[in-house]
Amino acid sequence: MEPTYHIPALLYPCMEGLDIKPNGTYVDVTFGGGGHSKEILRRLGPDGHLVSFDQDADAQRNLVDDKRFTFVCSNFKYLQNFLEYHNIDKVDGILADLGVSSHHFDEQSRGFSFRFDADLDMRMNTKARLSAADVVNNYTEAQLADILFLYGELKNARKIANVLVKTREKQAILTTNDLLAVVEPLLPQDRQKKEMTKVFQALRIEVNDEMRSLEKFLSGAAAS
């Protein structure tokens, strides 16, 4: 297992919140580097069980060999479907460490960070259809403005969307550096990094359909 893949956030407070029963059934819907899952397994007895989800194929490098463990390579919005598939009608706790992980920011080729020049991708599931480049180059100006305002809380969302559309008419915006070159001049100099982070966040949320996935997951979790 890659030791620096991702350091689990609030590991022990999360375990306290789950209040793990040795013979319980638990779900970790964001497996990632496996930090939370491994700690849950450490606290489970021989009759306990853990189901972990992750749609990112990179996470499969961190899988654990344990008969009490089931891995689901899929988006957590399908929680209820897969619990039914595995004949699990009730769980004792669900852990969701939401958001992007340090692994994604550090993996240059994935395009999640403006620290590196890379393809404008941002897909958690690399087999998914929509990339950040598709959003930037194909969405209407109104759609881009809505995404930047709703998911990035950018006050000048309409101005950024307008300039993106005008720029792509001359040349496609395909890399993180392409996007930086267009957007940076539109941001206050004293807050450029913070505001650019919001731009990337907004695109990532749209690419991965994070809001609708979260809504569907919460509905499934409530039924479990």
Side-chain angles (χ1 to χ4, degrees), residues 102-180:
S102 56
H103 167 74
H104 293 114
F105 286 131
D106 294 338
E107 193 68 23
Q108 179 175 344
S109 64
R110 302 292 293 273
F112 283 97
S113 172
F114 52 84
R115 288 182 294 145
F116 315 106
D117 186 26
D119 290 341
L120 204 52
D121 193 327
M122 302 192 200
R123 292 172 297 168
M124 295 287 190
N125 178 357
T126 55
K127 295 180 180 179
R129 175 185 58 84
L130 190 71
S131 71
D134 294 323
V135 173
V136 169
N137 289 286
N138 298 322
Y139 276 31
T140 67
E141 183 176 329
Q143 286 175 315
L144 287 172
D146 285 346
I147 290 165
L148 293 168
F149 181 74
L150 292 172
Y151 298 158
E153 299 181 353
L154 289 148
K155 294 180 180 178
N156 59 341
R158 293 191 183 281
K159 176 65 174 177
I160 295 172
N162 177 261
V163 175
L164 285 172
V165 170
K166 287 181 177 178
T167 301
R168 77 191 191 191
E169 288 173 356
K170 301 173 184 177
Q171 186 173 349
I173 302 166
L174 300 175
T175 69
T176 54
N177 275 3
D178 289 345
L179 184 62
L180 280 170

Side-chain angles (χ1 to χ4, degrees), residues 20 34 45 53 59 77 80 95-96 111 115 168 186 204 217:
I20 295 169
F53 285 69
K77 67 183 178 182
Q80 194 169 8
L95 174 65
R115 288 182 294 145
R168 77 191 191 191
L186 307 174
R204 189 203 79 227
F217 156 66

